[in-house]
Amino acid sequence: MVVAGAAALLAAVTVAGCRDAGSASPVSRTQLLLGTNSTIIVHGGDPGDAVFDAAFGRVREIQDKMSLQYEDSELNEINRAAGREPVEVSEETFMVIETALEYAELSHGTFNVALGPIIRAWGIAGDNPRRPPDEELLELLELTDYRDVELNRDERTVFLRREGMVLDLGGIAKGYAADEAARVLEEQGVEYALVDFGGDIRAVGNRRPDGERWRIGIQDPSDTSRGAFVGVLGLEQPSVVTSGDYERFLELDDEVFHHIIDPETGKPAVSGLRSVTVETDNTMKADIHSTAVFVLGLERGLEYLEQLNGVEAILVTGDDEVYLTAGLQDTFELRGDGRYTLMQ
Ligand code: ADP
Ligand code: MG
């Protein structure tokens, strides 16, 4: 998982909250979890440290199972046994991998959790990113077929058929963790909150305490330093996730590489899209869809979205055009000082 820079957090900046007299100001806590700044903002009163601790504790549990960075994670156990034997995992790790594979199929392989060997070669998560030579990428691509991930529901095992395969849940675990953190907050009696894990956002409560919709600023990919917005989205559904090319991880000469890989080439996806924001009722799935659509590009991305129910999206192209799915026509407000054009 990438340690998200300031840009990732800005992608999720929430637009000024409640202004009505008498309402308590929001209380927030941030922890570095899942390789990103993970923030929880509670509105409508301070729930106390124990509630924040419970939510972050849940996220740490998920991190300890699903992170590549943590040696003893279930994910690393699976990876170490690649080509040798199936590994029994917890129900939630199994479910996350099962969901990932389901959408790998639906997204024509563009969402692919078996990209680990390629992601490792680029050094995306480490301190020494590099540009792997084409021959190396071609060889590693052989080890990235998600159909070589074998699941056994009854035994709850995961088996990577070929030695050298590596699963990487960096494109899905954060979203799942955001769902779980929100669930814990609700269990603890929190009525209004935003969970923001490096741009993966989940709202608790259909509305803010003042009765207005939650409003999320969509980062302007061309103006990350100021944290300017392409526009503002009023939430109809609780989960919003953005994938963008501005979360760059490597600059070599005058080329900039970002961290969303096209599984066909083994290189950062060049699809003509600069960012994809997905709104739906499940953050794990929003995390998947935003990555998949980013790789698919405008036309194939819109086709992919059409086959799904209740999934809305904002697509920003390299030509400064903004495309919305039908459900967002009334809830998205364009900003960006005239730079962007809303396409109909
Ligand atoms: P962010 O972490 O900024 O939210 P994403 O959610 O799009 O970005 O996930 C990027 C991470 O997902 C990468 O760091 C890598 O671990 C993994 N990844 C990269 N490309 C793909 C892909 N095509 N399919 C699935 N996972 C991917
Ligand atoms: Mg994602």
Side-chain angles (χ1 to χ4, degrees), residues 10 219-220 222-229 336-337:
L10 286 171
Q219 172 69 53
D220 180 342
S222 301
D223 197 355
T224 50
S225 54
R226 281 196 314 143
F229 299 142
D337 303 331

Side-chain angles (χ1 to χ4, degrees), residues 29-283:
R29 297 274 190 288
T30 297
Q31 292 194 12
L32 186 64
L33 285 166
L34 293 163
T36 195
N37 279 318
S38 299
T39 298
I40 295 173
I41 310 166
V42 174
H43 288 244
D46 188 347
D49 281 342
V51 169
F52 284 107
D53 290 347
F56 282 124
R58 180 74 191 94
V59 177
R60 188 162 294 111
E61 269 173 33
I62 294 168
Q63 167 182 269
D64 290 351
K65 289 176 182 170
M66 304 185 197
S67 152
L68 281 179
Q69 270 65 45
Y70 180 55
E71 261 317 290
D72 293 335
S73 65
E74 293 182 333
L75 187 65
N76 279 323
E77 271 181 58
I78 297 168
N79 290 337
R80 275 193 292 268
R84 285 195 294 115
E85 61 191 2
V87 171
E88 188 182 337
V89 295
S90 61
E91 178 60 35
E92 61 183 342
T93 299
F94 190 90
M95 183 279 294
V96 166
I97 295 172
E98 192 177 41
T99 308
L101 294 177
E102 187 187 322
Y103 286 96
E105 200 63 50
L106 265 181
S107 69
H108 311 288
T110 53
F111 185 80
N112 182 352
V113 284
L115 279 177
I118 298 280
I119 290 165
R120 199 176 263 182
W122 283 92
I124 294 183
D127 298 328
N128 300 302
R130 61 188 266 270
R131 177 183 195 154
D134 286 357
E135 315 80 73
E136 183 182 336
L137 290 176
L138 281 178
E139 232 169 79
L140 291 175
L141 280 173
E142 300 283 312
L143 295 169
T144 62
D145 191 336
Y146 65 88
R147 286 162 297 201
D148 288 332
V149 183
E150 198 176 295
L151 298 185
N152 183 323
R153 214 327 121 210
D154 297 331
E155 314 266 321
R156 232 207 276 136
T157 57
V158 184
F159 177 44
L160 307 183
R161 287 203 190 102
R162 304 182 57 182
E163 199 187 327
M165 286 180 73
V166 179
L167 285 190
D168 177 341
L169 300 177
I172 181 170
K174 252 185 331 169
Y176 175 63
D179 286 328
E180 282 298 292
R183 193 178 59 73
V184 169
L185 292 172
E186 277 164 12
E187 256 173 31
Q188 301 279 328
V190 170
E191 281 181 277
Y192 309 101
L194 286 175
V195 171
D196 174 1
F197 292 172
D200 285 30
I201 296 179
R202 169 100 196 182
V204 172
N206 292 334
R207 291 280 195 271
R208 303 188 312 207
D210 62 1
E212 298 290 321
R213 280 186 221 286
W214 296 103
R215 287 157 61 78
I216 305 293
I218 309 303
Q219 172 69 53
D220 180 342
S222 301
D223 197 355
T224 50
S225 54
R226 281 196 314 143
F229 299 142
V230 172
V232 176
L233 180 65
L235 297 198
E236 293 266 12
Q237 302 188 79
S239 300
V240 181
V241 175
T242 299
S243 288
D245 71 0
Y246 47 85
E247 287 170 36
R248 37 189 78 179
F249 67 90
L250 172 57
E251 282 187 70
L252 281 177
D253 303 324
D254 48 5
E255 265 191 287
V256 175
F257 299 92
H258 61 82
H259 68 160
I260 301 171
I261 302 290
D262 182 340
E264 281 199 4
T265 61
K267 297 178 185 177
V270 187
S271 68
L273 292 178
R274 300 225 46 210
S275 82
V276 176
T277 300
V278 170
E279 183 195 35
T280 188
D281 62 1
N282 178 294
T283 322

